[in-house]
Amino acid sequence: MKPNQKSGSSKKNQIEKMFDSISIEYDLINSIMTFDSHKRWKKSILEIAKKIQPKNALDIATGTADIALNLGRISNCQVVGVDISEKMLNVGREKISKMRLSNSVRLETGDAENLKFNDNYFDLVTIGFGVRNFQDLEKGLRESFRVLNKEGTLIILETSVPENRIIKLFYSIFTRTYIPIMAWIFSKDKSAYNYLLNSAELFPSGTKFSNILKSVGFADVLIKPKLFGSSTIYVATK
Ligand SMILES: C[S@@+](CC[C@H](N)C(=O)[O-])C[C@H]1O[C@@H](n2cnc3c(N)ncnc32)[C@H](O)[C@@H]1O
């Protein structure tokens, strides 16, 4: 299943099916492809979040709920995770029950571009490796802006392309060799990983993405590149 292919269904529909199809192996492949670094980056989100001391947080495109689970460890913080892929959520639900975090974390089916929450509701919104899959990026970001309270914070973790030319060359060789080989070995759905790779290279990052955040109303966008700029954390305030 490969989003953007010519077919009757929308990109959203194709994305939902694609993540449903890779839900069981998603955590393993994520670890293989990032050399487990994604866990460190998600911990960085937790460290930033702790300083905000949120009472309620929303993790959009929560998938198998890693970020939601981390946030669930902040004392007195209620966390909701939403995603369009029910099968990714089911993997997340198993993790919640294993980690006995069902008092602080709950997962719901939900679309980033049509959130079912009131305006100015959350202290914190997080989105890990989700924005580049949105059908309408600006609509999704405007929804995050709407549900955040006045002093709320948005933290986004997304893949990015290194700016340094030499590192970019190594990055390009790496993504075109190691990742397809790993996808071929470990994944049932090879085309899903081709999509994920290509979309990573095309998605705006760094200052370009920060400008998009500002254009929908966010202020003070901090850009924190990780692993030579192969991923970036953006911290923005409403
Ligand atoms: C690469 S996974 C990221 C999962 C998790 N946040 C993480 O960091 O590992 C992307 C997730 O975004 C979800 N997604 C894509 N478009 C969405 C949308 N419009 N609304 C909610 N979730 C969406 C997919 O179903 C998938 O679970």
Side-chain angles (χ1 to χ4, degrees), residues 112-209:
E113 294 161 43
N114 285 298
L115 293 171
K116 295 192 170 51
F117 301 102
N118 292 338
D119 296 359
N120 309 312
Y121 185 74
F122 291 100
D123 299 328
L124 172 69
V125 171
T126 53
I127 314 175
F129 302 120
V131 285
R132 104 180 117 97
N133 297 300
F134 291 176
Q135 184 164 292
D136 183 336
L137 172 65
E138 293 188 8
K139 191 173 179 203
L141 295 176
R142 273 197 299 273
E143 275 292 87
S144 296
F145 187 83
R146 179 183 68 74
V147 299
L148 269 174
N149 75 27
K150 262 196 235 147
E151 276 113 43
T153 302
L154 170 70
I155 308 174
I156 290 178
L157 167 64
E158 193 49 78
T159 50
S160 47
V161 178
E163 282 178 13
N164 179 297
R165 279 191 3 211
I166 295 165
I167 295 172
K168 193 173 172 174
L169 178 68
F170 281 107
Y171 169 86
S172 188
I173 295 168
F174 166 78
T175 52
R176 282 168 198 290
T177 51
Y178 176 78
I179 292 184
I181 292 168
M182 290 301 133
W184 188 79
I185 297 171
F186 290 102
S187 176
K188 284 183 285 169
D189 186 350
K190 325 290 179 224
S191 65
Y193 289 92
N194 283 334
Y195 157 74
L196 289 172
L197 260 180
N198 292 334
S199 61
E201 288 193 3
L202 297 173
F203 193 75
S205 56
T207 314
K208 276 190 193 155
F209 186 67

Side-chain angles (χ1 to χ4, degrees), residues 56-59 62 65 68-69 72 77-83 89 92-93 96 101-109 116-117 121-122:
N56 59 4
L58 172 66
D59 183 38
T62 192
L69 285 163
C77 181
Q78 286 299 312
V79 185
V80 188
V82 295
D83 200 287
L89 290 175
R93 287 184 182 116
I96 292 174
L101 279 170
S102 46
N103 286 337
S104 53
V105 185
R106 71 170 205 276
L107 304 184
E108 293 176 3
T109 310
K116 295 192 170 51
F117 301 102
Y121 185 74
F122 291 100

Side-chain angles (χ1 to χ4, degrees), residues 12 15-20 22 26-27 30 38 42 45 59-68 82-86 88-89 109-115 126-136 140 157-158 196:
K12 199 174 292 174
I15 291 277
E16 178 193 341
K17 287 198 181 114
M18 185 187 84
F19 280 101
D20 272 350
I22 61 172
Y26 175 78
D27 282 347
N30 211 3
H38 74 107
K42 288 168 182 170
I45 293 181
D59 183 38
I60 295 176
T62 192
T64 58
D66 280 351
I67 296 172
V82 295
D83 200 287
I84 51 172
S85 162
E86 197 55 33
M88 291 286 275
L89 290 175
T109 310
D111 179 1
E113 294 161 43
N114 285 298
L115 293 171
T126 53
I127 314 175
F129 302 120
V131 285
R132 104 180 117 97
N133 297 300
F134 291 176
Q135 184 164 292
D136 183 336
L157 167 64
E158 193 49 78
L196 289 172

